Amino acid sequence: MTDRSPRGSAAASCTPAQIAASALTRYRDLIDDWDAFVDALGRPLAPCIWANPTRISVAGLAALLAEEGVAAEPLAALPGALRLAPEARTGQHWWYCAGLAHAQELVSQLPALLLDLAPGQRVLDMCAAPGGKTAQIAFALGNRGTLVANDISSDRIKALQGNLDRLGVINVSTTCKDASNWPLRGGQFDRILLDAPCSSEGTLRRTPSLLGRLGPENAARLAPKQRLLLEKAVRLLRPGGRLVYSTCTFAPEENELVLDAVLAAAGEGLRLLPAALPGIRCAPGLTEWQGRALDPRLAGCMRIWPHHNDSGGFFIAVLEKPAEVAANRQGHVPVTPPGDPAEIAPWLEGVASRYGLPEDIWSRYRVHRQTKRGLHLSAADHCPPRVPRPEASGLFFHRTNVRPPKPTTAGALLLGREASAHRIELDAEQRDRYLRRETFAPHPEQLAAGAYGQVVASYRGHVLGMAVVHRSGVVESLFPSRWSGCTAASGGQPSAASPQPPAGALSSHH
């Protein structure tokens, strides 16, 4: 293939898009319109969001954004999603803090749609952080049953859990493991997503800093690990089950060549299914690369170039294990979450009584004491794996190691919508001050019900978290500092004129 990259002094006059294109010039003969591809690399990538189906409809979210002057375009190919203006900063809006929506790039939303998900399936997300695809899967399962979200990095697991908490996901156990070593005795799965770590060439529109790390050498370095991950995914897949392999890179070494090797080794034990989604334009997978013939079935994969859908770049393959393949005889032995019901019951009675929750509320969940900090809540039919040992199962919803005990922000977002007592509805100015973790004076009518102490704070009926109404005449925000990225658009730093909490006021432990 001819090298068309700019050289010498000519490179200094190139735009960033042209420099990126020169680093990707080995793909030029694969792309239908090179100029359109280069042009797309030079445009900012518009963010996409999807509505949290447990809290708001996409129509309701679109109407809310329109009222606030946020331009949003419905995406026909993704019925629950909206595309925003390129300059939008999704994480800096109150509706994002309240878990009404999640930001996820258009192409990143596609792999979960190809899993053919249905409630009752046991699902594994092998490389799950930061959690957008995990949350998609969780809601496609009805926020019930068992989804295991794994990642090799404990720090990334924390970020993933933060997203699941904000969105109210309760059917997930997280594990921290090198997925290529995920134990077979952890059982097989009906559906597996392997969104493999890759060279990320397809993310250049939002991460131009990758420019210095592009090249076939990087792809060749990553490919062996990707093959190990895919081989383990195949072994963990239940007969009759479906596996989606995806990357955000263009490199054939990380895509078709990995699949070609795994398909050849599996023989009749693995099928490649044609992949397509209505409204999504894509190119077929490669059946030849640099003179090497590949499995002809690879044409059924999806190659998504940035100029085809005004998106990032992506690669997706859908695999299926024939039903007649022998199952993993080790099977799955679920673990019972720890916790003495007799010990837990008084805590639950206290929460339900204070906040006026429905009498049957706890019958919908499984509550367990995972740590000494307090109580976790998961779907009633969620079955954590025995191995590897979960980092967390469900959602940490009630902190019992502080006095007085308090619901966490995640617990308030999940349960607070049903609270009929000790609840305070904020106006827009109070909302912004709450999200900035300021104290502020309540209106007289907000105190009319005599709701002092810990309360559920909401705006327009949507829960934001916990607050404390002090008898001294101020409301103290318990919005967690680690979620404070949500607050930048609400006015930045706290005002020097903000009333200060009285001595001994509760801190916002979370």
Side-chain angles (χ1 to χ4, degrees):
M1 184 175 294
T2 303
D3 182 6
R4 301 177 175 86
S5 60
R7 298 187 180 279
S9 60
S13 62
C14 292
T15 66
Q18 290 169 330
I19 295 172
S22 72
L24 303 174
T25 191
R26 69 193 190 115
Y27 307 132
R28 183 160 190 162
D29 294 338
L30 306 179
I31 298 174
D32 57 332
D33 189 334
W34 181 256
D35 291 339
F37 172 73
V38 174
D39 181 63
L41 293 181
R43 294 196 305 270
L45 184 61
C48 293
I49 60 173
W50 47 262
N52 182 341
T54 66
R55 294 182 184 166
I56 195 169
S57 67
V58 67
L61 180 62
L64 187 155
L65 267 58
E67 289 178 27
E68 299 200 347
V70 178
E73 169 196 0
L75 291 168
L78 299 170
L82 301 167
R83 194 199 304 261
L84 307 185
E87 64 274 11
R89 297 293 179 264
T90 56
Q92 298 177 358
H93 292 274
W94 73 268
W95 40 265
Y96 192 85
C97 304
L100 302 186
H102 186 68
Q104 190 176 5
E105 215 269 288
L106 185 155
V107 289
S108 187
Q109 298 182 47
L110 305 182
L113 301 180
L114 287 161
L115 278 170
D116 188 29
L117 295 161
Q121 296 167 340
R122 186 172 190 252
V123 183
L124 172 64
D125 188 352
M126 291 183 75
C127 304
K133 298 179 185 69
T134 304
Q136 275 186 282
I137 296 169
F139 291 136
L141 298 176
N143 213 9
R144 311 289 296 180
T146 302
L147 167 58
V148 179
N150 178 76
D151 202 88
I152 194 171
S153 164
S154 59
D155 287 341
R156 286 170 59 83
I157 285 286
K158 292 175 184 176
L160 180 151
Q161 190 67 59
N163 278 321
L164 301 184
D165 288 351
R166 179 176 53 82
L167 295 167
V169 173
I170 59 171
N171 62 344
V172 172
S173 285
T174 55
T175 59
C176 188
K177 190 82 176 172
D178 178 348
S180 64
N181 292 322
W182 221 85
L184 293 176
R185 67 183 188 277
Q188 290 185 311
F189 294 85
D190 302 296
R191 299 289 186 269
I192 297 177
L193 172 62
L194 172 53
D195 187 47
C198 68
S199 56
S200 304
E201 293 172 341
T203 69
L204 274 169
R205 291 182 67 182
R206 58 184 173 88
T207 52
S209 59
L210 285 171
L211 271 176
R213 302 199 298 271
L214 297 183
E217 300 82 7
N218 198 25
R221 178 181 60 82
L222 291 163
K225 182 64 173 181
Q226 292 156 341
R227 178 173 174 178
L228 287 174
L229 288 167
L230 185 53
E231 289 171 341
K232 177 52 66 78
V234 172
R235 297 184 71 186
L236 291 170
L237 187 63
R238 183 171 292 162
R242 176 174 289 200
L243 160 64
V244 170
Y245 176 83
S246 62
T247 74
C248 56
T249 191
F250 307 126
E253 295 86 353
E254 303 176 68
N255 296 325
E256 288 92 348
L257 270 63
V258 169
L259 284 157
D260 184 72
V262 172
L263 286 167
E268 297 298 318
L270 191 63
R271 299 174 182 144
L272 183 71
L273 304 181
L277 287 166
I280 298 297
R281 183 182 170 193
C282 66
L286 306 182
T287 56
E288 183 272 335
W289 176 245
Q290 295 181 340
R292 173 181 168 182
L294 305 175
D295 192 316
R297 292 175 292 176
L298 292 169
C301 301
M302 297 176 71
R303 274 190 160 269
I304 301 173
W305 300 102
H307 61 293
H308 283 167
N309 304 278
D310 193 16
S311 68
F314 229 73
F315 175 89
I316 309 174
V318 180
L319 300 157
E320 182 182 75
K321 182 178 284 188
E324 58 270 18
V325 173
N328 171 16
R329 295 185 179 181
Q330 296 186 63
H332 166 58
V333 180
V335 64
T336 301
D340 179 359
E343 177 194 14
I344 290 173
W347 298 115
L348 301 184
E349 291 169 5
V351 174
S353 174
R354 177 170 181 82
Y355 299 103
L357 300 176
E359 292 184 3
D360 67 341
I361 189 144
W362 305 122
S363 65
R364 311 174 204 170
Y365 307 104
R366 174 180 289 156
V367 179
H368 57 284
R369 179 182 285 280
Q370 186 167 290
T371 71
K372 294 180 180 180
R373 295 186 304 157
L375 304 179
H376 274 68
L377 177 152
S378 60
D381 57 350
H382 180 71
C383 295
R386 187 174 298 274
V387 289
R389 182 177 178 179
E391 299 291 303
S393 292
L395 178 150
F396 180 41
F397 85 101
H398 190 49
R399 187 179 289 281
T400 62
N401 67 341
V402 296
R403 294 291 179 269
K406 79 173 189 74
T408 64
T409 302
L413 292 176
L414 180 70
L415 304 173
R417 291 169 294 158
E418 299 188 75
S420 59
H422 287 91
R423 182 166 177 170
I424 184 170
E425 181 75 5
L426 307 181
D427 62 29
E429 180 183 358
Q430 292 173 327
R431 173 204 71 197
D432 292 347
R433 300 188 71 171
Y434 173 87
L435 294 175
R436 293 197 298 266
R437 293 169 48 81
E438 297 177 12
T439 56
F440 52 89
H443 302 307
E445 59 270 21
Q446 291 172 320
L447 299 178
Y452 290 96
Q454 294 176 3
V455 297
V456 175
S458 60
Y459 173 69
R460 298 181 57 174
H462 299 292
V463 175
L464 299 175
M466 298 298 298
V468 177
V469 179
H470 293 281
R471 293 187 180 274
S472 60
V474 296
V475 178
E476 179 193 0
S477 170
L478 298 185
F479 190 71
S481 58
R482 68 187 180 92
W483 289 15
S484 59
C486 293
T487 67
S490 301
Q493 298 301 313
S495 168
S498 301
Q500 298 302 307
L506 293 174
S507 62
S508 55
H509 301 294
H510 185 88

